[in-house]
Amino acid sequence: MFNNKSMDEFFQQLTETNQKLLQSWVNLSQPGEPVADLAPMQQLMAGLTQSNPFLAQHSDFYQQQLDLWLGLIGAKEKAPVAVPEKGDRRFNAPEWEQPLFDYIKQNYLVTSRWLLQMVEQAHTDDAAREKMSFFTRQYVDAMSPANFAFTNPEVMKLALETKGESLQEGMKKLMADMQKGTITMTDESQFEVGKNLGISPGQVVFENELFQLLQYTPSTAKVYSRPLLIVPPCVNKYYIMDLQPDNSLVAYAVSQGFKTFLVSWKSVTPEMGHLKWDDYVENGVITACDVVRKIGKAEKINVLSFCIGGELVSTAMPVMQARGLDWIESVTLMTVMIDHTEPGDIKHFIDWNLIRKREALLNEGGVIGGKELSRTFSALRSNDLIWNYVVNNYLKGKTPAPFDLLYWNNDSANLALPMHTFFLRNMYLENNLIKPNSFSLCGVPIDLTTITTPTYIFAAREDHIVPWQSAYLSTRIFKGPLRYVLGASGHIAGAINPVKANKRNYWVNEDLSGDSEAWFHGAQSRPGSWWQDWSQWLIPFSGEEIAAPKTHGNAAFKPIEPAPGRYVKERLD
């Protein structure tokens, strides 16, 4: 056993080793052009060196490490020192209960919590500490023993059973994904847009450089006279709204008698790299509204928008209002963030250093790759959307199960650099959407507080892209009649929750006078899909029932091609 002197030497050596580990991590993580407020890892090291009684003392961390080691070698009774957090599925397999791998697992959990605890104790401001904590979590997730073949007993067992074939197959999948530039999350051979995805019948009735407009075929004998226009995000393909018949929001809207149109954004090519946010407003949202009005023979229309599509619609409305274009009867904001005071973890990827570099290139234009954006969103849930597939695909050599939502998730779209940079600066960094007249679009100062249109706001409780509390803040901006509904699950699974499945639940509360927590405390939970609540809300804004039209388009806007159209089928190389 250790004597006091050897114990001191042991802990001193362990402390020095940990400091070297952290310094190596900092050297790998710091940006190419360090700026004081943009180098969180450097701040972490500075904070730790100022507060290192924690490192130098014989802390609980070292005692836990010692207990683990003594339990492994049988010098004391083995007892659990650390257990995974609730919902952490990385160590569920029984192989992790074997003594050596149980030690590796618990050592990792103890060390991870120690690193996160050090961040919390660093001498820095709250914003820097939060950023450090996020990237520390990214680091410890990446370093999980589950992510390495020789420290993952499931991988080792499978490799022995298959005589190494699982590892060989995993290497093939790794090389294929490296060439493709993305991690394969589903069996992509099982899906094709237009064959089993995006198959609601309809026609493309208008197109320009920016989008195609789809008009869907009615499935009821009668429809409401006022059309519904769906504006999806331009970051991804539209067919998240029309996956397969049983989980298609488009099909549901059509089945409820809504005369449904949809914007299918084009993935930006290098020739389109000059496009600005103004272009998406003028030649996208406003143009689509105008065409839908003319085809639908209606003075006003209803609009449902999703994610960044909601910010496009919201910024188009003051422009339309200034021109006297009273075209929108109601608007639905589905997981849309207007107030970016607290945008969630995505803020850690956006800073002034990034914006300055991009703005220096604005005159030249350019394209922001959809794969880059997809990787950023995946990093927000790295264990579920990155490391889970690294282990399954590359270490175990397995093909992931077919899942339409994940196929869509990997089918990204490019954005124009000027448009996206404007979005990051004005929405995320400067939060200008809550500041009336702080910027202009299409020559019109933008003031969202002048919008009095009836608005339905949907948020998802576990959304990692649009936190539900931030979505609730939209109720403080729009001045018309408001309904706020909160669904279960995340950004996509919460929004795309078909009625037929009868899964999950949603919360409603008419009282919007308090903050988000007060709203939730007084909310009533209802079973099933929020789509039912939305369709009932929308009916009074949809006009009278009329005979369903038998043709698509009109004399001015003739059908161009069947839905889903060409634009959505274009895939990134």
Side-chain angles (χ1 to χ4, degrees):
M1 294 295 292
F2 290 112
N3 57 36
N4 287 341
K5 182 177 179 181
S6 60
M7 281 286 285
D8 288 341
E9 291 174 350
F10 168 74
F11 285 125
Q12 181 63 33
Q13 184 179 5
L14 190 54
T15 296
E16 292 173 358
T17 301
N18 284 323
Q19 287 176 321
K20 290 178 181 178
L21 172 65
L22 284 168
Q23 186 60 60
S24 299
W25 171 33
V26 170
N27 293 338
L28 289 171
S29 303
Q30 66 186 29
E33 299 177 20
V35 180
D37 62 340
L38 300 177
M41 298 306 106
Q42 291 176 316
Q43 291 185 30
L44 172 61
M45 287 304 297
L48 292 177
T49 56
Q50 294 172 17
S51 60
N52 276 336
F54 184 81
L55 283 171
Q57 292 174 354
H58 302 168
S59 65
D60 290 342
F61 167 69
Y62 296 126
Q63 185 61 55
Q64 289 172 331
Q65 292 282 9
L66 185 59
D67 288 345
L68 281 173
W69 177 249
L70 294 177
L72 178 65
I73 64 176
K76 63 177 294 185
E77 184 177 354
K78 182 177 176 291
V81 173
V83 295
E85 295 177 357
K86 184 179 179 180
D88 185 350
R89 299 172 295 177
R90 294 174 293 177
F91 308 107
N92 282 357
E95 286 83 3
W96 286 100
E97 298 305 314
Q98 299 172 27
L100 176 59
F101 291 105
D102 180 60
Y103 168 81
I104 291 172
K105 171 188 72 178
Q106 292 199 64
N107 178 280
Y108 162 74
L109 293 172
V110 167
T111 304
S112 299
R113 291 167 192 174
W114 174 68
L115 283 169
L116 291 167
Q117 185 180 355
M118 284 200 298
V119 170
E120 290 302 313
Q121 295 187 1
H123 289 269
T124 186
D125 61 82
D126 291 343
R129 187 181 298 108
E130 186 179 356
K131 192 167 189 174
M132 295 176 209
S133 181
F134 173 78
F135 284 107
T136 302
R137 171 64 67 182
Q138 295 282 305
Y139 171 74
V140 299
D141 286 349
M143 296 305 295
S144 167
N147 300 337
F148 301 92
F150 290 109
T151 53
N152 187 324
E154 301 172 68
V155 172
M156 296 301 293
K157 178 183 178 183
L158 184 60
L160 289 171
E161 290 173 348
T162 62
K163 298 181 180 179
E165 288 184 10
S166 59
L167 292 175
Q168 292 179 3
E169 185 62 29
M171 185 58 66
K172 292 178 185 176
K173 294 182 184 300
L174 172 61
M175 298 304 293
D177 279 0
M178 287 178 66
Q179 191 171 26
K180 187 172 66 172
T182 57
I183 295 175
T184 299
M185 298 182 178
T186 185
D187 184 354
E188 296 185 355
S189 66
Q190 301 300 309
F191 300 104
E192 183 177 344
V193 178
K195 288 198 174 179
N196 59 356
L197 296 174
I199 60 173
S200 290
Q203 291 282 330
V204 175
V205 290
F206 172 84
E207 69 180 36
N208 62 16
E209 174 189 40
L210 201 52
F211 75 97
Q212 289 187 317
L213 182 68
L214 279 57
Q215 180 183 5
Y216 288 99
T217 305
S219 61
T220 55
K222 291 189 175 182
V223 296
Y224 293 102
S225 59
R226 187 166 288 133
L228 169 68
L229 172 63
I230 298 176
V231 182
C234 47
V235 177
N236 298 96
K237 304 294 182 64
Y238 86 79
Y239 64 87
I240 185 61
M241 319 293 283
D242 186 32
L243 287 169
Q244 298 185 78
D246 287 342
N247 60 351
S248 167
L249 179 54
V250 165
Y252 175 76
V254 171
S255 75
Q256 299 304 296
F258 298 122
K259 200 160 42 173
T260 307
F261 294 76
L262 180 143
V263 169
S264 174
W265 299 105
K266 183 176 177 62
S267 180
V268 169
T269 60
E271 297 77 25
M272 302 166 63
H274 61 280
L275 292 173
K276 300 178 180 179
W277 191 274
D278 303 60
D279 297 304
Y280 280 78
V281 166
E282 185 75 71
N283 302 321
V285 175
I286 296 178
T287 296
C289 288
D290 190 29
V291 175
V292 170
R293 284 176 62 252
K294 291 172 178 175
I295 293 176
K297 299 177 182 178
E299 288 298 316
K300 303 180 75 172
I301 68 174
N302 296 307
V303 178
L304 180 148
S305 58
F306 180 28
C307 194
I308 192 176
E311 286 159 300
L312 287 168
V313 169
S314 297
T315 52
M317 292 173 75
V319 177
M320 297 165 69
Q321 184 173 281
R323 297 176 181 177
L325 307 178
D326 186 18
W327 290 351
I328 298 180
E329 177 72 9
S330 78
V331 63
T332 298
L333 303 176
M334 189 167 81
T335 63
V336 176
M337 183 156 44
I338 301 298
D339 187 334
H340 292 70
T341 301
E342 183 43 68
D345 286 339
I346 197 170
K347 66 186 176 187
H348 302 307
F349 293 96
I350 305 167
D351 55 38
W352 284 109
N353 201 32
L354 171 66
I355 299 303
R356 292 187 193 105
K357 288 180 178 179
R358 287 192 173 180
E359 289 184 338
L361 303 173
L362 287 184
N363 290 335
E364 304 171 19
V367 172
I368 300 299
K371 291 179 180 179
E372 174 189 339
L373 297 171
S374 179
R375 284 192 292 268
T376 299
F377 290 131
S378 293
L380 300 178
R381 293 175 52 201
S382 59
N383 279 334
D384 291 333
L385 296 178
I386 297 177
W387 301 116
N388 172 52
Y389 297 102
V390 167
V391 173
N392 181 80
N393 301 3
Y394 310 150
L395 300 187
K396 295 182 179 180
K398 295 182 178 180
T399 298
F403 190 10
D404 53 6
L405 195 152
L406 290 176
Y407 178 89
W408 166 85
N409 192 63
N410 258 9
D411 190 7
S412 304
N414 294 333
L415 293 176
L417 183 144
M419 177 269 193
H420 191 248
T421 302
F422 175 91
F423 170 62
L424 296 183
R425 170 186 272 275
N426 283 278
M427 281 60 158
Y428 276 96
L429 289 185
E430 296 183 346
N431 201 14
N432 283 334
L433 287 180
I434 68 169
K435 303 171 186 175
N437 306 316
S438 58
F439 66 97
S440 295
L441 292 169
C442 307
V444 176
I446 301 302
D447 182 358
L448 300 189
T449 65
T450 64
I451 295 175
T452 59
T453 305
T455 304
Y456 186 103
I457 301 171
F458 170 79
R461 193 177 181 191
E462 298 170 26
D463 195 334
H464 63 293
I465 296 174
V466 180
W468 73 268
Q469 298 91 340
S470 296
Y472 181 82
L473 294 175
S474 297
T475 64
R476 301 297 181 261
I477 299 171
F478 296 95
K479 302 306 181 186
L482 297 168
R483 182 167 181 79
Y484 179 87
V485 173
L486 179 64
S489 195
H491 187 70
I492 301 300
I496 307 304
N497 182 21
V499 172
K500 285 184 179 179
N502 196 31
K503 290 182 178 179
R504 307 187 187 97
N505 67 303
Y506 61 97
W507 291 267
V508 296
N509 184 355
E510 304 291 341
D511 184 4
L512 301 175
S513 61
D515 61 15
S516 59
E517 296 303 324
W519 180 91
F520 186 75
H521 181 73
Q524 175 190 5
S525 174
R526 295 181 181 175
S529 171
W530 67 276
W531 292 4
Q532 301 171 93
D533 182 87
W534 168 72
S535 63
Q536 290 302 308
W537 175 87
L538 188 60
I539 287 173
F541 303 109
S542 299
E544 70 276 16
E545 287 188 293
I546 60 173
K550 296 181 179 180
T551 59
H552 300 86
N554 60 18
F557 301 102
K558 299 182 186 298
I560 298 171
E561 61 181 333
R566 305 184 313 282
Y567 287 7
V568 74
K569 293 181 180 180
E570 297 170 353
R571 286 185 64 90
L572 302 181
D573 294 332

